[in-house]
Amino acid sequence: AEGWSGSDDPGTHATRVTEDFELLTFEEVWEASAELEACTSSPETLVCFLSDPADQQAVAQVVEELSAQTKVIFVVRDRAADANSADGYVVRSGDRDSCRQVLGDICATYGNVSGLLYMWPLEDAACLQDPAIIVDILQSLASTQLSCKRLLLVGEFASGLERCHLESWIGFERALRLAWPQTEVVVIGQEKEPGAARIRTLMLRLWNELGPEKAESAFYIEGKRQVCRIHPRAPQAAGDMLRDGGTYLITGGCGGLGFLFADYLARTRAANLVLNGRSALDDKKREKIRALEALGSQVLYVQADVCDHTRLSEGLAAAEARFGAVHGVIHAAGLSGGGSVFEKDRERFRQVLAPKIDGTLVLDEVLRGKALDFVCYFSSSAAILGDFGSCDYAVGNRFLMAHAQYGGGQRHSKRIVINWGLWADGGMGFGSAERTRMYLKSSGQRALEAGEGAAVFERLLGEVATQHLVLAGQPSRVHQFLGIGHGTTARQPARFHSAAADPGRRAELKGLSVSQCVAWDLKEHASRLLKVPRDRLDVDENLAEFGFDSISLAKFAGALSGHYGIPISPALFFSHPTLAQLTDYFVEAQAAAMEAFYRQPAAEPAGFSGQARITAPLLKRLQYRRSK
């Protein structure tokens, strides 16, 4: 298979190599990290979401000891106090407008802030179960344009389930580190520690987490710092966990991926299949069921929302009455995310989370006490690699990862979670063929095929490890994409500087429209980065076809950020995967910045006509067809 291999040298053109695609498996594990050095640079302003006066005092005392120059601003929940009182700002629970108002007032009074510490979960464990509060904060930061270098989502856990909820927030980190480069979002967690000194101990840790140039989520276990790392896994000897004629429950069983595995179990095991779904039987579902029965399976359809304990229990009882004991469960129910977290309402966000979080917990209750061979959670690679700023899909699938490891419920059954990459036919994609193509090609992947995915599922069932990331791709490029064996990963946010002093309207752009200027500069930066002649860059071709990969896309974002002085993330290229679409984005979504950047000089030098410099060949090169 022919692919592109990028170079870490930004001046080196990507070169074609030949490398076979393989089915690759990885494991993400928590492992010990070196303790952080004490932060020596003092943050100017910290915003701390913390309500209890004693906790506030403990935080303020630590900060005062470490830096007399740092200002701490407290944001409290539902306290009868004036919103602009000296002892803190007040946000009403569930009221996004009040959160926006508070951060807007802070922005107006203090300007930019060095860090924001979300610490309400330390005082109210219910906050762990409601990531919609974090969505309110993110949307408020974006709408008020309060510049914040680092957002720390802070929590502690006293049980496995609390840890699952806290770990699910890592989905925000993975989803936003490409899509929102101006603010680094990470999760800092610790085991719940007794005693009055716990806030002080935690604040000392948080202070140090504000210091490193590269932020990453970290958990403190038995007082030691741990971080997530991805490691490749070689195939292992595995036992056979599937039974001929066994009975298997598949949530989301008539959906794309659920039905794919129902078909596999029917073909290979003549299994009794209990297919669960939210909607009533219709002609399409009946046709699918007849196809499974034609393969020798018996099928029972259970209409029940996976979050509905009563209906799911009744359906399972009906299945046991017909088939006997259930031997295994595949939890494949889910809703796709999509769209930006900055545009979502609470209801839609929670709808996407529900089958992955609430449904998993309900399933645990329904299965309690049953001797199953296995419970397999179908998660997504988005839990590890992000979902381009949607966040709900990444958070929900991240919960499944943690629950397989630490959750309660049906613990005497074998429990595994598989983070699937994109499937050729399974209902998992990025909403458009061009976007999906861009993601796969730039990261060295291809879509998973039904046969190979089902085969690796059966193998992984018999392995010892609990969590598995499954991708089909060219090994060296996928390893590069995952940051394995590299000092940095392609998913780090691009840094940018102000371009106020950069003369946008250069001599070669005189007389051109803003749209033509943008088109010219995009080609120029792409040509320079890839060492590809400008005339070989078709503005309607997918960027991945030019040789862009995960690393060079991050460099392209950094170059454009530096050029225009606005934050540009690599995620932009997945939603606008051609130069023509990128031009449209800058001209329309960044209209004010582009008008200012390419502002015409007040007057032309005498005797000079800018338009006269635009030759016919140049005009032809500047033309592009807009995709609408």
Side-chain angles (χ1 to χ4, degrees):
E2 200 172 54
W4 290 94
S5 176
S7 167
D8 287 338
D9 179 1
T12 302
H13 171 243
T15 55
R16 278 200 184 275
V17 298
T18 299
E19 187 177 14
D20 290 336
F21 285 92
E22 299 177 16
L23 197 61
L24 308 169
T25 55
F26 304 87
E27 182 180 18
E28 186 179 75
V29 298
W30 287 98
E31 54 185 45
S33 164
E35 292 297 318
L36 294 176
E37 296 181 3
C39 179
T40 56
S41 59
S42 299
E44 184 175 339
T45 307
L46 292 179
V47 177
C48 187
F49 281 62
L50 197 63
S51 302
D52 184 85
D55 292 342
Q56 291 181 357
Q57 184 177 3
V59 168
Q61 183 176 350
V62 170
V63 173
E64 185 176 3
E65 293 171 2
L66 294 170
S67 169
Q69 292 76 41
T70 301
K71 170 69 176 177
V72 182
I73 305 162
F74 290 105
V75 177
V76 305
R77 296 180 78 203
D78 297 332
R79 201 169 71 188
D82 177 60
N84 293 312
S85 64
D87 61 346
Y89 293 82
V90 179
V91 170
R92 296 183 297 275
S93 294
D95 187 344
R96 182 175 297 163
D97 289 338
S98 70
C99 185
R100 186 180 296 114
Q101 180 66 47
V102 162
L103 292 186
D105 290 346
I106 291 173
C107 182
T109 304
Y110 298 97
N112 300 335
V113 300
S114 306
L116 191 153
L117 312 181
Y118 173 59
M119 301 174 71
W120 285 343
L122 302 175
E123 302 169 325
D124 182 0
C127 291
L128 283 176
Q129 302 174 35
D130 190 8
I133 301 174
I134 299 171
V135 176
D136 290 347
I137 294 172
L138 292 170
Q139 292 187 350
S140 298
L141 279 171
S143 64
T144 61
Q145 298 185 333
L146 174 62
S147 177
C148 174
K149 178 184 177 184
R150 193 162 292 177
L151 168 58
L152 305 187
L153 307 177
V154 185
E156 57 187 4
F157 53 91
S159 68
L161 182 56
E162 287 184 348
R163 176 166 184 166
C164 293
H165 284 293
L166 186 57
E167 281 201 27
S168 74
W169 295 357
I170 296 175
F172 285 108
E173 176 204 355
R174 304 304 169 87
L176 292 173
R177 59 184 171 187
L178 278 184
W180 203 42
Q182 58 267 53
T183 299
E184 295 175 296
V185 181
V186 296
V187 181
I188 307 299
Q190 69 175 17
E191 294 176 301
K192 193 164 188 175
E193 300 175 359
R198 88 183 213 282
I199 295 294
R200 176 181 177 82
T201 300
L202 177 59
M203 189 60 208
L204 289 168
R205 291 168 176 166
L206 297 179
W207 182 269
N208 291 337
E209 294 288 350
L210 291 167
E213 181 178 351
K214 174 190 172 185
E216 61 181 335
S217 292
F219 274 37
Y220 288 83
I221 309 298
E222 297 181 350
K224 302 297 183 182
R225 186 174 187 266
Q226 296 185 358
V227 295
C228 289
R229 293 289 180 261
I230 300 174
H231 299 287
R233 285 187 59 85
Q236 300 174 346
D240 189 355
M241 296 291 291
L242 296 176
R243 306 186 187 205
D244 292 333
T247 299
Y248 299 101
L249 166 65
I250 305 177
T251 68
C254 285
L257 200 57
F259 183 75
L260 187 153
F261 279 86
D263 180 80
Y264 176 76
L265 292 172
R267 290 179 183 277
T268 61
R269 304 290 173 159
N272 302 315
L273 299 172
V274 185
L275 305 184
N276 156 252
R278 291 184 302 156
S279 58
L281 273 176
D282 55 20
D283 290 342
K284 187 175 181 180
K285 291 186 182 68
R286 290 188 180 94
E287 183 179 351
K288 287 184 173 182
I289 289 172
R290 284 194 294 269
L292 296 174
E293 291 174 336
L295 294 172
S297 282
Q298 298 185 69
V299 182
L300 173 66
Y301 182 75
V302 174
Q303 183 189 351
D305 189 316
V306 72
C307 301
D308 187 331
H309 186 284
T310 300
R311 294 290 299 274
L312 199 61
S313 295
E314 292 172 350
L316 188 61
E320 291 174 329
R322 178 172 173 182
F323 301 128
V326 173
H327 301 116
V329 175
I330 297 175
H331 183 26
L335 297 174
S336 61
S340 169
V341 68
F342 302 108
E343 300 168 356
K344 290 179 183 288
D345 58 36
R346 279 172 165 258
E347 183 59 28
R348 177 56 184 169
F349 193 87
R350 286 171 171 152
Q351 284 176 354
V352 175
L353 294 185
K356 299 298 185 184
I357 298 180
D358 298 337
T360 299
L361 299 178
V362 168
L363 196 60
D364 262 355
E365 290 298 317
V366 170
L367 297 174
R368 189 176 300 279
K370 300 186 184 299
L372 303 168
D373 294 338
F374 67 86
V375 177
C376 181
Y377 301 124
F378 278 8
S379 182
S380 165
S381 60
I384 297 172
L385 305 177
D387 59 10
F388 301 104
S390 183
C391 290
D392 45 13
Y393 196 62
V395 169
N397 281 286
R398 191 81 197 187
F399 180 88
L400 288 180
M401 283 181 63
H403 193 265
Q405 298 272 10
Y406 311 109
Q410 188 65 22
R411 299 312 301 174
H412 61 270
S413 302
K414 179 180 179 62
R415 187 183 299 213
I416 75 167
V417 58
I418 303 176
N419 300 95
W420 295 110
L422 293 184
W423 288 76
D425 182 19
M428 299 173 70
F430 291 122
S432 77
E434 276 296 304
R435 187 173 184 176
T436 300
R437 181 182 175 202
M438 176 70 176
Y439 167 74
L440 291 173
K441 196 171 183 71
S442 65
S443 60
Q445 297 183 62
R446 63 162 173 78
L448 290 161
E449 298 292 340
E452 65 183 351
V456 76
F457 158 75
E458 189 163 352
R459 171 171 64 81
L460 295 179
L461 276 181
E463 292 191 5
V464 174
T466 299
Q467 182 266 330
H468 310 267
L469 168 65
V470 178
L471 303 172
Q474 298 166 299
S476 66
R477 295 188 58 221
V478 171
H479 283 214
Q480 172 183 279
F481 178 65
L482 297 176
I484 297 173
H486 294 262
T488 59
T489 76
R491 300 188 305 279
Q492 288 303 308
R495 301 295 179 183
F496 64 95
H497 64 271
S498 172
D502 193 353
R505 182 66 70 166
R506 305 179 305 281
E508 64 269 29
L509 302 180
K510 289 186 181 297
L512 304 186
S513 68
V514 170
S515 178
Q516 289 171 328
C517 288
V518 172
W520 176 282
D521 275 351
L522 290 178
K523 263 197 174 185
E524 187 68 21
H525 280 284
S527 172
R528 189 181 306 154
L529 180 66
L530 297 176
K531 302 298 184 185
V532 174
R534 288 174 54 93
D535 57 10
R536 286 181 53 192
L537 300 178
D538 185 339
V539 296
D540 290 311
E541 189 71 69
N542 194 297
L543 293 174
E545 300 298 334
F546 300 156
F548 275 110
D549 62 8
S550 54
I551 288 181
S552 54
L553 284 174
K555 291 172 180 173
F556 192 33
L560 295 180
S561 296
H563 183 64
Y564 289 121
I566 57 178
I568 303 299
S569 78
L572 175 66
F573 308 132
F574 296 99
S575 56
H576 301 78
T578 69
L579 289 174
Q581 291 174 17
L582 280 175
T583 300
D584 285 341
Y585 166 80
F586 281 106
V587 171
E588 296 168 7
Q590 301 285 349
M594 295 302 102
E595 289 289 345
F597 188 79
Y598 292 111
R599 184 176 292 116
Q600 290 276 13
E604 295 283 6
F608 174 80
S609 170
Q611 187 64 38
R613 293 174 59 100
I614 307 176
T615 63
L618 175 58
L619 277 175
K620 184 175 181 180
R621 290 199 301 272
L622 287 172
Q623 290 174 347
Y624 67 93
R625 297 183 300 279
R626 293 196 172 195
S627 301
K628 294 295 186 183

